[in-house]
């Protein structure tokens, strides 16, 4: 009687299944985590806004110092009653007046996140943006009256591709610039970002 030889190889059906990669799942998870992080950051910013949107916000910001320059706030309330509010979200404020000339807001640097809000003197938000919506991640906004902005569009059409031109409903207003430093090692870059930010009148 001839016996069938037993093969030394295991049947393919007995091999343990090889786990398949799930690129779609991994991508979806990454997107979900990104959205959750963005939502949390958005909530933090929204919760901080009432500090700068009260009826006396403009008057308090003018007490920080001279107009047309950003003033960095501390962790504790200063003489004007303003403070940073969040230990990781560093803040600078600037009061401005566009009655004579437009005002240009500028800032750039290697920071994790930044945002800016522009308000009129009555604390109504006129414009807001962050690094994700800015051209090359830089802050470059010109604020002015309707006539000033129209004049800039006519005389310098090239500005449209790199600078946001925004009409102010009132001549006076203020800007609130924030930058995120979740780690101590990121603090020097954020401090430099705020210290070098511009809020200066320009010739129209």
């Amino acid at each position: 009687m001839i016996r069938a030889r037993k093969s030394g190889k295991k049947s393919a059906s007995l091999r343990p299944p090889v786990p398949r990669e799930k690129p779609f799942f991994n991508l979806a998870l990454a997107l979900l985590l990104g959205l959750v992080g963005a939502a949390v950051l958005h909530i933090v910013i929204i919760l901080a806004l009432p500090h700068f949107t009260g009826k006396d916000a403009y008057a308090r910001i003018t007490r920080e110092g001279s107009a047309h320059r950003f003033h960095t706030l501390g962790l504790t309330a200063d003489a004007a009653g303003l403070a940073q509010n969040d230990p990781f979200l560093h803040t600078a404020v600037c009061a401005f007046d566009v009655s004579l000339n437009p005002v240009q807001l500028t800032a750039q640097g290697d920071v994790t996140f930044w945002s800016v809000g522009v308000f009129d003197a009555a604390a109504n938000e006129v414009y807001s943006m962050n690094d994700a919506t800015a051209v090359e991640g830089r802050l470059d906004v010109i604020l002015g009256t309707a006539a000033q902005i129209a004049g800039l569009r006519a005389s310098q059409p090239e500005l449209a591709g790199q600078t946001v031109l925004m009409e102010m409903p009132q001549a006076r207003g203020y800007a609130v610039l924030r930058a995120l430093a979740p780690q101590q090692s990121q603090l020097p870059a954020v401090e430099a970002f705020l210290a070098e930010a511009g809020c200066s009148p320009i010739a129209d």
Side-chain angles (χ1 to χ4, degrees):
M1 182 184 225
I2 300 175
R3 295 180 180 177
R5 291 183 179 178
K6 294 182 179 180
S7 173
K9 297 181 180 180
K10 293 183 178 180
S11 172
S13 61
L14 298 179
R15 293 177 182 173
V18 177
R20 296 181 179 179
E21 294 184 359
K22 299 179 180 180
F24 177 77
F25 175 78
N26 294 336
L27 177 60
L29 181 61
L31 290 174
L32 179 61
L33 292 175
L35 289 174
V36 170
V40 171
L41 186 59
H42 180 71
I43 291 172
V44 170
I45 293 174
I46 293 299
L47 291 176
L49 278 179
H51 196 58
F52 301 101
T53 55
K55 292 182 180 179
D56 62 342
Y58 177 77
R60 292 165 72 184
I61 289 174
T62 58
R63 291 173 58 192
E64 290 295 325
S66 58
H68 301 132
R69 58 163 296 184
F70 276 107
H71 301 274
T72 303
L73 303 181
L75 285 172
T76 57
D78 55 22
L82 298 178
Q84 183 176 305
N85 278 353
D86 187 290
F88 304 115
L89 202 58
H90 299 259
T91 306
V93 294
C94 170
F96 59 81
D97 188 335
V98 301
S99 57
L100 298 178
N101 293 95
V103 169
Q104 186 170 22
L105 307 179
T106 57
Q108 61 180 347
D110 185 17
V111 295
T112 302
F113 170 87
W114 64 260
S115 70
V116 67
V118 178
F119 303 83
D120 62 20
N124 298 307
E125 187 177 57
V126 177
Y127 181 73
S128 66
M129 70 182 301
N130 57 47
D131 59 309
T133 57
V135 177
E136 298 180 353
R138 295 179 292 104
L139 171 61
D140 190 356
V141 178
I142 294 179
L143 309 168
T145 64
Q148 290 168 348
I149 297 301
L152 286 171
R153 287 197 174 107
S155 62
Q156 302 182 52
E158 69 279 3
L159 287 176
Q162 59 188 20
T163 304
V164 176
L165 303 178
M166 182 59 52
E167 296 179 12
M168 290 295 298
Q170 301 178 16
R172 296 183 304 166
Y174 59 94
V176 180
L177 179 62
R178 298 183 177 90
L180 183 66
Q183 298 180 5
Q184 188 68 24
S185 60
Q186 298 170 323
L187 187 56
V190 165
E191 290 177 339
F193 176 82
L194 295 177
E196 296 169 7
C199 179
S200 306
I202 60 173
D204 58 355

